[in-house]
Amino acid sequence: MIAAAYILFAVVVLIFVFRPLFAARGEIDRASRKENRRRQLLEDRETLYESIQELDFDYRMGKVEEDDYRQTRARYESQAVELLKAIDGTNGRAEAVEDRIEQEIAALRRSQKGKKAACPNCKTIPPGNARFCPLCGTSLNRG
């Protein structure tokens, strides 16, 4: 009887421990699919921009007649508008996190600017944790 209670307790603990691993997997897959979709849309945007530039070049070179140029350009522009709307619709959490990281990095760099001491010998500003000047080899005496 006690062995059955231990086994039941062990099963409950194992389910409790491993449940987040399986639940998080679905969230990761959804985020990955969303990021892949966004990446594909961005690639399509670049391809479309290149097509517009090539069409403009061909028109300037006289390879495309004006009527064809205007129709094709209007079609490309409408596709670009739809594509940009789709890209705007995919703005998600990943980009917000990247933006926040970039802001934090910029803030750290701004706060570190005043703390860097120049080499007493050659006045070069060495990397943050350098113990010796990379240019002249002078000891920086950082505690």
Side-chain angles (χ1 to χ4, degrees), residues 27-97:
E27 293 174 22
I28 292 171
D29 289 342
R30 279 194 301 276
S32 178
R33 282 192 303 267
K34 187 175 182 179
E35 187 59 33
N36 286 340
R37 168 83 173 131
R38 180 169 176 71
R39 188 174 298 120
Q40 182 63 43
L41 288 172
L42 292 173
E43 288 175 11
D44 292 346
R45 179 190 67 182
E46 292 304 316
T47 303
L48 189 57
Y49 284 168
E50 290 171 4
S51 298
I52 290 172
Q53 288 175 341
E54 186 175 330
L55 178 67
D56 289 343
F57 180 75
D58 288 345
Y59 175 69
R60 285 192 307 266
M61 296 301 292
K63 294 181 180 179
V64 178
E65 292 184 16
E66 187 170 345
D67 290 339
D68 290 338
Y69 168 74
R70 293 194 188 286
Q71 289 174 354
T72 306
R73 174 121 180 148
R75 188 177 72 237
Y76 282 160
E77 287 175 354
S78 66
Q79 289 175 357
V81 167
E82 293 301 317
L83 195 57
L84 291 174
K85 286 180 183 177
I87 290 171
D88 286 342
T90 62
N91 279 344
R93 191 168 182 261
E95 247 185 39
V97 169

